[in-house]
């Protein structure tokens, strides 16, 4: 086994304390003898949610030797609220201890730069690996097997139960519902995400008529179906297909069709596998991988999909049975323009204007309200400026602020209600006046809303219910507040900056060069003027950038990908894996700032 650097792991400290430990405060000394995997995550981040799913198999297979510890490191102000972290751990079925670190103390001690980041600590308390982004579960599993063998031989491996203590279950008919639609009979169909099912409610929004799905995770069709954290729902125009409702089955990476007459479910698009760079971006719908579809809407003759996992909009054609990219590049950020060039950041809510000319988009990670023009095929931003500015501020749209909105609803007058999730509010944008106002506050993580007989029915996800509100004639007034992420900017010097993405292939694997370069690096900046040179795509994981001497701050957007395969000529069909991560690095330009920026994709710096 190759020798490794031995760096003593810093202590785990977080002002919010510990979850899933039965009230016990854990120290690294309590975990000595175990292989520890620290998962630095934040619950707004869809890539972090992907990693939670990637780790489930490792967690189960090595339950007596591995302890996974989630270190919750917030981006948004709302994510620093301990109650919200408790809800997120329940919502996403996190079955390991979680440290709530609202001030990013442990994040800073481990020099983490991106969500998600995984750090492996050996049974003697030394850091032996760090991985940023997705696609590393196989590498960590291999490393764990090596550590088990090494420390069994040394007598330093301790087998047995870990420190996880399950919390009390959430009671009620709904558990973290995602979105809802109103059915032609006046009832509501709700995506009951936490129960992995759909629920039909009477017009009162409370009485359960029936449940579609048995509550267990799965990808099963028929009249005894299974879902995995379904979110978006859309009614199809009558006569479009032999099913009535399209479901964004988020964690299954699939679209499902539901026939209301008998509750029969059919998988329409997706393979159940997550889309990765290099996968097909169009084709027969059942043969193309998807990535965390979060909402759906019938727009311009197709079902448009908020593909949160790859920061794009896709579209499904029921008549042709095809699916493909409709807007976005997979780069994360806020860039308007032609649909093929626009950037999104975890689009999570869709709604269509009454005239069918605009598709409204809740672009959650940029805290933005955006829209797609049917006629010009261009993307526009109504509210929001970028990845790191958010808050609760009304007034002219150019200076108004939202905080991680997940839903949009078109109102009778043509304005748009925004489920402003992390502000616990319902906001309104009026395209005629260009003004943003607040319709309601004191809602717990609203994730969607639907009109009903002159009222608006809000999905209060963290209160596990639907809440009916009278649409007010005048907006509620709130004190304005603006925020920036707590994450500190990296100080760099103007002029030449060396960018190094650190990647070491997992043990037993090598970079896959059979079909061309196995690595890819894409660099851009907000504002674009920050980069004098060095922008664009290339295969090398190191690059010389030149930063402006007139721009004082901004964000470097870095996207890296590496493909590795089994390094054994005797294996006829080697297993291959893709490792990828997108970094948005806030930078502040100072004369004595750094002239090298290392980012760890896999390995140790």
């Amino acid at each position: 086994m190759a020798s490794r650097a031995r760096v003593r792991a810093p202590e785990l400290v977080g002002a919010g304390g510990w979850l899933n430990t039965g009230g016990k405060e854990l120290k690294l000394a309590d975990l000595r003898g175990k292989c520890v995997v620290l998962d630095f995550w934040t619950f707004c981040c869809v890539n972090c949610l992907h990693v939670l799913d990637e780790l489930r198999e490792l967690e189960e297979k090595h339950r007596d030797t591995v302890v996974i510890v989630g270190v919750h490191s917030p981006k948004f102000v709302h994510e620093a609220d301990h109650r919200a972290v408790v809800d997120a751990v329940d919502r996403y079925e996190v079955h390991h201890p979680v440290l709530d670190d609202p001030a990013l103390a442990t994040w800073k001690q481990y020099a983490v730069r991106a969500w998600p980041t995984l750090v492996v600590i050996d049974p003697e308390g030394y850091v032996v690996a760090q991985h940023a982004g997705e696609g590393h579960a196989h590498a960590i599993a291999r490393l764990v097997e090596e550590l088990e063998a090494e420390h069994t031989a040394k007598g330093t491996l301790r087998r047995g139960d870990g420190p996880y203590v399950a919390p009390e279950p959430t009671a009620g008919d709904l558990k973290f519902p995602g979105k809802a639609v109103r059915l032609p009979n006046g009832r509501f169909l709700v995506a009951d995400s936490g129960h992995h099912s759909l629920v039909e409610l009477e017009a009162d929004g409370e009485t359960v008529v029936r449940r579609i799905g048995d509550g267990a995770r799965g990808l099963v069709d028929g009249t005894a179906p299974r879902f995995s954290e379904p979110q978006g729902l859309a009614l199809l125009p009558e006569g479009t297909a032999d099913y009535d409702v399209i479901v964004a089955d988020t964690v299954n990476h699939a679209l499902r069709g539901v026939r209301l007459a008998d509750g029969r479910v059919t998988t329409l698009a997706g393979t159940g596998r997550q889309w990765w760079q290099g996968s097909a971006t169009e084709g027969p719908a059942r043969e193309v991988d998807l990535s965390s579809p979060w909402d759906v809407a019938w727009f311009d003759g197709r079902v448009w999909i908020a593909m949160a996992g790859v920061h794009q909009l896709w579209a499904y054609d029921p008549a042709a049975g095809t699916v493909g990219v409709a807007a976005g590049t997979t780069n994360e950020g806020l860039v308007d323009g032609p649909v093929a060039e626009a950037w999104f950041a975890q689009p999570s809510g869709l709604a269509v204007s009454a005239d069918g000319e605009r598709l409204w988009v809740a672009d959650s990670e940029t805290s933005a309200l955006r829209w797609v023009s049917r006629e010009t095929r261009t993307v526009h931003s109504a509210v929001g400026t970028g990845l790191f500015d958010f808050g609760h501020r009304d007034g002219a749209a150019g200076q108004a602020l939202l905080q991680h909105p997940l839903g949009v609803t078109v109102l009778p007058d043509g304005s748009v209600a925004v489920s402003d999730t992390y502000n616990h509010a319902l906001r309104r944008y009026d395209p005629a006046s260009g003004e943003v106002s607040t319709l309601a506050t004191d809602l717990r993580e609203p994730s969607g809303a639907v009109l009903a007989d002159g009222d608006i029915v809000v999905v209060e996800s963290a209160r596990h219910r639907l809440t009916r509100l009278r649409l007010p004639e005048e907006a509620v007034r709130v004190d304005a507040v603006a925020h920036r992420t707590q994450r500190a900017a990296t100080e760099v010097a103007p002029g030449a900056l060396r960018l190094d993405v650190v990647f070491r292939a997992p043990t037993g694997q090598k970079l896959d060069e059979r079909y061309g370069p196995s690595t890819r690096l894409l660099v851009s900046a907000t504002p674009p003027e920050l980069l004098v040179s060095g922008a664009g795509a290339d295969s090398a994981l190191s690059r010389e950038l030149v930063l402006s001497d007139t721009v004082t701050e901004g964000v470097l957007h870095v996207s890296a990908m590496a493909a590795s395969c089994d390094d054994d000529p005797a294996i006829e069909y080697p297993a291959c894996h893709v490792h990828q991560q997108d970094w948005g690095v806030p930078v502040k330009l100072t004369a004595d700032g750094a002239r090298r920026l290392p980012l760890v994709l896999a390995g140790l710096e």
Side-chain angles (χ1 to χ4, degrees):
M1 183 168 56
S3 62
R4 304 187 192 90
R6 289 173 65 82
V7 178
R8 179 64 72 179
E11 190 53 84
L12 304 177
V13 179
W18 288 88
L19 305 176
N20 286 355
T21 63
K24 181 179 179 179
E25 296 287 318
L26 292 183
K27 299 293 183 183
L28 277 177
D30 300 325
L31 305 177
R32 197 62 51 84
K34 299 287 190 178
C35 302
V36 179
V37 180
L38 303 183
D39 176 16
F40 289 86
W41 70 298
T42 189
F43 64 78
C44 74
C45 163
V46 70
N47 309 94
C48 299
L49 304 185
H50 292 166
V51 168
L52 282 175
D53 288 324
E54 288 179 5
L55 292 176
R56 294 187 199 279
E57 182 178 351
L58 175 75
E59 194 167 32
E60 182 60 35
K61 184 176 180 181
H62 298 272
R63 186 167 296 281
D64 66 336
T65 59
V66 171
V67 175
I68 296 175
V69 174
V71 182
H72 189 268
S73 312
K75 170 186 173 180
F76 289 98
V77 169
H78 171 60
E79 293 175 303
D81 177 354
H82 182 70
R83 177 68 246 180
V85 180
V86 172
D87 285 344
V89 169
D90 186 14
R91 180 194 299 264
Y92 297 117
E93 299 179 2
V94 179
H95 294 164
H96 51 250
V98 173
L99 174 65
D100 182 10
D101 183 20
L104 303 182
T106 297
W107 164 287
K108 293 170 186 174
Q109 285 295 309
Y110 281 82
V112 175
R113 291 184 180 273
W115 297 279
T117 291
L118 299 170
V119 175
V120 182
I121 302 172
D122 74 11
E124 294 180 291
Y126 291 92
V127 174
V128 292
Q130 181 172 326
H131 303 265
E134 303 177 51
H136 301 294
H138 71 287
I140 292 175
R142 181 73 64 88
L143 176 57
V144 163
E145 291 171 355
E146 293 179 2
L147 291 173
E148 287 175 342
E150 176 185 349
H151 289 274
T152 295
K154 292 174 68 174
T156 49
L157 184 71
R158 177 166 56 91
R159 295 182 179 271
D161 292 339
Y164 170 69
V165 178
E168 290 296 317
T170 302
D173 292 325
L174 300 178
K175 181 180 179 182
F176 299 110
K179 300 185 188 293
V181 291
R182 197 174 190 216
L183 301 177
N185 60 10
R187 292 172 176 169
F188 297 95
L189 188 66
V190 182
D192 191 9
S193 307
H195 287 139
H196 312 296
S197 58
L198 310 181
V199 175
E200 185 174 344
L201 301 177
E202 284 287 6
D204 61 9
E206 298 179 1
T207 306
V208 175
V209 177
R210 62 171 167 169
R211 184 175 294 274
I212 301 174
D214 65 6
R217 285 184 188 269
L219 182 55
V220 178
D221 286 344
T223 54
R226 287 186 170 176
F227 301 87
S228 187
E229 297 181 33
Q231 289 285 340
L233 304 169
L235 280 170
L236 287 182
E238 189 174 352
T240 302
D242 61 356
Y243 43 87
D244 308 288
V245 178
I246 294 276
V247 182
D249 195 5
T250 304
V251 178
N252 275 329
H253 310 296
L255 294 189
R256 318 288 293 280
V258 179
R259 191 167 65 195
L260 293 174
D262 57 3
R264 177 173 290 277
V265 173
T266 304
T267 299
L268 306 174
T271 62
R273 299 184 300 270
Q274 183 186 338
W275 187 94
W276 291 94
Q277 289 286 352
S279 301
T281 56
E282 62 180 356
R286 289 294 304 272
E287 300 174 14
V288 177
D289 299 337
L290 308 182
S291 183
S292 296
W294 211 276
D295 202 5
V296 281
W298 181 258
F299 176 62
D300 195 27
R302 294 184 293 171
V303 176
W304 282 56
I305 309 160
M307 200 71 78
V310 286
H311 316 300
Q312 290 179 309
L313 304 180
W314 287 41
Y316 166 67
D317 186 337
T322 57
V323 70
V325 176
T329 64
T330 75
N331 294 322
E332 184 180 14
L334 192 152
V335 176
D336 291 338
V339 291
E341 301 171 12
W343 292 19
F344 296 91
Q346 217 167 295
S348 301
L350 301 175
V352 181
S353 61
D355 61 6
E357 290 298 316
R358 289 187 180 186
L359 178 69
W360 292 99
V361 182
D363 204 27
S364 62
E365 279 294 289
T366 53
S367 298
L369 173 64
R370 307 177 72 188
W371 54 278
V372 179
S373 167
R374 187 191 66 82
E375 180 180 3
T376 64
R377 285 294 191 269
T378 51
V379 178
H380 307 262
S381 294
V383 182
T385 58
L387 285 165
F388 300 107
D389 294 292
F390 51 89
H392 191 153
R393 185 162 63 200
D394 287 338
Q399 57 83 54
L401 294 173
L402 310 170
Q403 187 179 181
H404 198 80
L406 290 179
V408 281
T409 308
V410 174
L411 299 178
D413 64 356
S415 64
V416 181
V418 180
S419 295
D420 193 6
T421 309
Y422 287 3
N423 279 327
H424 306 295
L426 191 67
R427 311 285 294 284
R428 175 178 177 264
Y429 168 69
D430 183 359
S433 66
E435 293 284 313
V436 174
S437 57
T438 299
L439 294 174
T441 56
D442 193 31
L443 300 166
R444 280 279 301 280
E445 294 191 14
S447 55
V450 61
L451 297 176
D453 304 323
D455 295 337
I456 189 164
V457 177
V458 180
V459 181
E460 278 198 270
S461 190
R463 280 200 177 109
H464 317 292
R465 71 186 190 192
L466 303 189
T467 299
R468 183 181 290 260
L469 303 173
R470 181 70 62 186
L471 281 171
E473 294 184 6
E474 295 186 6
V476 177
R477 297 297 175 191
V478 297
D479 293 330
V481 59
H483 303 291
R484 294 211 80 197
T485 179
Q486 293 188 63
R487 180 182 172 189
T490 299
E491 293 192 1
V492 294
L497 177 70
R498 177 74 176 181
L499 172 64
D500 290 320
V501 173
V502 178
F503 177 77
R504 185 175 70 179
T507 302
Q509 295 204 326
K510 65 178 181 179
L511 290 174
D512 177 21
E513 306 282 357
R514 291 172 299 165
Y515 305 109
S518 60
T519 57
R520 178 177 180 268
L521 180 64
L522 176 67
V523 180
S524 61
T526 302
E529 297 76 24
L530 173 63
L531 269 180
V532 175
S533 65
D538 200 353
S539 59
L541 291 181
S542 294
R543 187 179 304 180
E544 292 290 339
L545 309 180
V546 176
L547 305 184
S548 170
D549 58 5
T550 60
V551 176
T552 59
E553 62 179 3
V555 180
L556 285 174
H557 303 281
V558 181
S559 178
M561 183 275 289
S564 63
C565 293
D566 290 336
D567 185 15
D568 185 347
I571 300 177
E572 183 176 2
Y573 300 106
C576 298
H577 304 274
V578 176
H579 317 256
Q580 64 183 43
Q581 170 64 1
D582 296 330
W583 291 269
V585 183
V587 295
K588 181 178 180 181
L589 279 71
T590 61
D592 57 352
R595 294 196 173 276
R596 177 175 178 266
L597 177 62
L599 299 173
V600 176
L601 178 60
L604 289 174
E605 163 63 6

